[in-house]
Amino acid sequence: LEDAEVYIIAVKDDAISDVASQLKLKGKIVVHTSGTKTAEILSFSSESFGVFYPLQTMTKLSKVDFSNIPILIEGSNVETRKVLSKLAKTLSKNIHEVDEVQRQWVHVAAVFANNFTNHMYTLSERLLLDHGLGFDILKPLIMQSVANLGNHSPKELQTGPAARHDSMTIEKHVELLADHKRLQKIYEILTASI
């Protein structure tokens, strides 16, 4: 269709350039949804291009309420930014006009906060299952940790043996993980970081 005002390329990052190279949409706005790719890769598709990046984890397993999702926008010109802002406001109350570098830093931070955290949950689940326990035992702890973030900085909320400098507990954990060398290394790196 060539009668839309905005065209959103919502594919994996490695495919954006290929899709964009097939589009010649003079007078239209073309955006991608990547947290890291430059908007410039769309400059051959249209003179009006940008980024429309919803900062949210999305899977086929979950339903997402967009009403308060941060949507980060960039545009090649004032009019493009204005149109993207108007479009974003139809989905969310939480709109941020950012530059490319800011968006990339937000994406890195999001990987730490979400993707790496979820991987830690996956590792925790595996440890529990290997020892006859289910992941549900951790859910109240996780939910309380998330709830605490509503009123405090994560730095203020750090607990655990590393924060307490409890070397005896740390040594015991490292010993327990002796047969899980990769997890033992992750544990030691994160403990040192804390």
Side-chain angles (χ1 to χ4, degrees):
L1 299 174
E2 295 183 13
D3 58 351
E5 185 178 7
V6 178
Y7 293 80
I8 300 175
I9 300 174
V11 297
K12 66 180 186 172
D13 286 6
D14 292 345
I16 295 171
S17 293
D18 291 339
V19 173
S21 69
Q22 298 173 47
L23 302 175
K24 300 293 182 234
L25 296 164
K26 187 174 175 58
K28 307 295 183 171
I29 296 172
V30 179
V31 298
H32 66 63
T33 59
S34 171
T36 57
K37 291 290 188 178
T38 180
E40 292 291 325
I41 61 175
L42 305 175
S43 63
F44 297 106
S45 301
S46 174
E47 67 284 355
S48 298
F49 56 89
V51 179
F52 193 89
Y53 173 50
L55 180 60
Q56 184 55 267
T57 183
M58 294 181 226
T59 70
K60 293 176 183 176
L61 301 175
S62 59
K63 187 175 180 179
V64 177
D65 174 11
F66 268 76
S67 63
N68 200 35
I69 290 175
I71 299 178
L72 285 61
I73 59 168
E74 291 174 50
S76 58
N77 55 56
V78 173
E79 186 58 29
T80 298
R81 289 189 295 275
K82 188 171 145 183
V83 170
L84 293 178
S85 180
K86 184 177 176 184
L87 176 61
K89 287 176 184 173
T90 67
L91 298 171
S92 176
K93 305 177 286 256
N94 195 350
I95 314 305
H96 300 268
E97 191 173 313
V98 296
D99 63 34
E100 181 176 311
V101 174
Q102 289 172 319
R103 175 175 45 87
Q104 290 171 346
W105 279 112
V106 167
H107 191 262
V108 170
V111 167
F112 272 93
N114 185 65
N115 303 127
F116 290 169
T117 302
N118 192 70
H119 184 64
M120 294 295 113
Y121 297 155
T122 302
L123 297 177
S124 297
E125 181 178 46
R126 181 78 268 149
L127 283 172
L128 291 167
L129 290 173
D130 286 351
H131 294 90
L133 297 161
F135 187 70
D136 283 350
I137 200 167
L138 294 180
K139 287 182 180 177
L141 172 70
I142 293 166
M143 300 307 248
Q144 186 60 53
S145 294
V146 171
N148 290 346
L149 289 171
N151 298 315
H152 302 283
S153 161
K155 186 176 181 178
E156 296 174 313
L157 299 171
Q158 188 67 59
T159 64
R164 294 189 307 269
H165 303 282
D166 183 350
S167 58
M168 289 176 60
T169 299
I170 293 168
E171 287 173 20
K172 180 62 177 175
H173 289 172
V174 170
E175 178 187 318
L176 284 169
L177 292 167
D179 292 336
H180 307 275
K181 292 299 183 192
R182 187 171 61 97
L183 294 182
Q184 189 182 58
K185 185 175 182 178
I186 292 168
Y187 182 96
E188 290 172 336
I189 289 169
L190 291 175
T191 296
S193 181
I194 292 170

